[in-house]
Structure formats: structure tokens, C-alpha cells
Amino acid sequence: MESMREAVLQWSKGQLDFSSGCLLMGILNVTPDSFSDGGQFFDFGRAVEHGLEMVNEGAAILDIGGESTRPGSLPVSSAEQIHRVVPVIEALAERTDVPVSIDTHDIEVARAALHAGASIINDITALADHRMAELAAQEQVPVILMHMQGTPATMQVEPLYTDVVAEVRDFLVERAKRAEGFGIVRERIFIDPGIGFGKTLQHNLLLLKHLDSLVATGYRVLVGSSRKAFIGKITGREKPADRVFGTAATVVMCVAAGASILRVHDVGPTLDVMKVTQAILNA
Ligand code: HH2
């Protein structure tokens, strides 16, 4: 499957070069309450500065979100999300060539973000709203389709699967095919197992262990394991910022399995982990 794809993904507003393997997406949460960095980049100036810092450290994409989706979180209005993210997207689109993705499942927010200069849609509901699929097709931008069981408010109450790997894969392939039906070209579709979204520790571990079965679908795979709670459960590290080394273990596994993009908070250190892993694989 890999060989059938072009190494460089190009679209009208951006490009991503996968020729040396996996790329990093830097997380920029313009929120007061994200699980890891809540409040840190809520201020416009600090958000832009941190975005540029991640580009300097080697981020190939910046993922900007105005709503926390941590377990137990409640929805934020479209107007408030737009108010949070649009100025930051405008400033970053002006100052860097790195493509900006908008982390939202809200059609109004996605429209405003694309208008402001974002050029990728990261949708944790995998285009549950068909207008999002129409928008992506019309604007010809890449989409990230993530798996989630339930909603952020309730998803960690009692996640249940018979075969988590097969169920997540089948869901993502079904949504990816539906996206193609809306006119989004296959190369622009990324699938994401949704680590921590309606999953127990064991579910997360099985999805990471068998990531190759997602890669084998032929769609490019994105993984967001950075600093998440399951790493804290294993290591005993309560503070998300202390989970960087734990995250590094997931990065090695994902790169080895053939993931295309890793969504991370700690771009600089993760790039080193990725480069060394890639060098070993290429030896
Ligand atoms: N995880 C989070 C948010 N968006 N998008 C994708 N595609 N994949 C993920 O795993 C993913 C995501 C949650 O992490 P974070 O943004 O750091 O926290 P919060 O939701 O609390 O803002």
C-alpha cells in the first residue's frame, strides 16, 4: 500500500513531505482547561509564540484547538471557539509556512478556521456531521478522522469492546470510505485510533501494539498519545508534563509500525526519538 502513495502530499494551501518517514504535529490548545497545558496558551501572544517555537523545534503541522475534549469536559460554543482560535490561526498562517490544522467537530468553527488560514480539518468525531465532509471536499483540504466511543463527557465511564482493534479499524475504514464518497481524495484522509477517547488502559495498549493493522488499511495513520492518562497509570506520573519519556515509548512503537503523523506536546524531544527510531529502521 505504502508504495502506491506519493511521498509528498500536496494540496492548494500546503504540503507535507513524508519521504523521511513520520512527521510531528505540534499541539496548541487555546483553552483554559486542557488536560495537559490548560491555560498555558490561552493568551493570544503566548499561543502564537508557542506555535512558532514548535515550528522551530521541527513541527510539520500545528494543530490548534479552542475546546478541551479531555474526559468529562463539556462542549464550548462555536462563537467562543472562534473567538479563541481565529486570531491565533491568522497570526500563525502569516508567520509560518507550516500547515495549520483546526481541531474541531463544529462546522462553524471549521469554516472560520479555514477562512483564517487553516488548511487541515482534525475532527475527533470522524465527520459525524456530513457538512464537515462537504466542506473538506469543497475546500480540498486533508482531514483527520478519529475514533471515539461515546462523547468526551461520558466516554471514560465504561468503555466496552469485543475486539477493540478490529472495531476501531472497521469504524475508521467505514468513515474513510464515506469521506471518499463525499469527494475527499483518499490521499488526503488520515485515520486515528483516538487514544484515550472511550478506551481503558488495555484498549489503548492493544491499539498501539497492533497499530500495523491500521497502517495496513492503506490510509495514512495519525496517533495522539502524548502525555495521556494511560501513560500516567503505567508510570505513576500524575502531572502530564512529567509523561514525556513515557510518551517517547509510544512514539518508538508508532514509528516502527509505520504511522505517518504523531500529535505531540513536546516537539523537540520527540523529534530526537523519532529520528533515532527511523535511523534504526533504515539501517
Ligand atoms: N487528542 C486530543 C485532542 N484532539 N485529535 C486527534 N486527531 N487525536 C487525538 O488523539 C486527540 C485530538 C486530546 O488531547 P489535548 O488536545 O492535549 O487535550 P484537550 O482535549 O484537553 O485539549
Side-chain angles (χ1 to χ4, degrees), residues 247-258 262 273-274 277 281:
T247 301
T250 68
V251 169
V252 174
M253 298 298 284
C254 291
V255 173
L262 302 180
V273 176
M274 229 173 61
T277 308
L281 292 171

Side-chain angles (χ1 to χ4, degrees), residues 161-180:
Y161 302 85
T162 310
D163 179 342
V164 66
V165 176
E167 286 169 48
V168 167
R169 182 199 57 214
D170 293 350
F171 168 87
L172 290 170
V173 168
E174 194 262 317
R175 285 300 174 93
K177 292 220 165 96
R178 202 161 92 185
E180 287 185 67

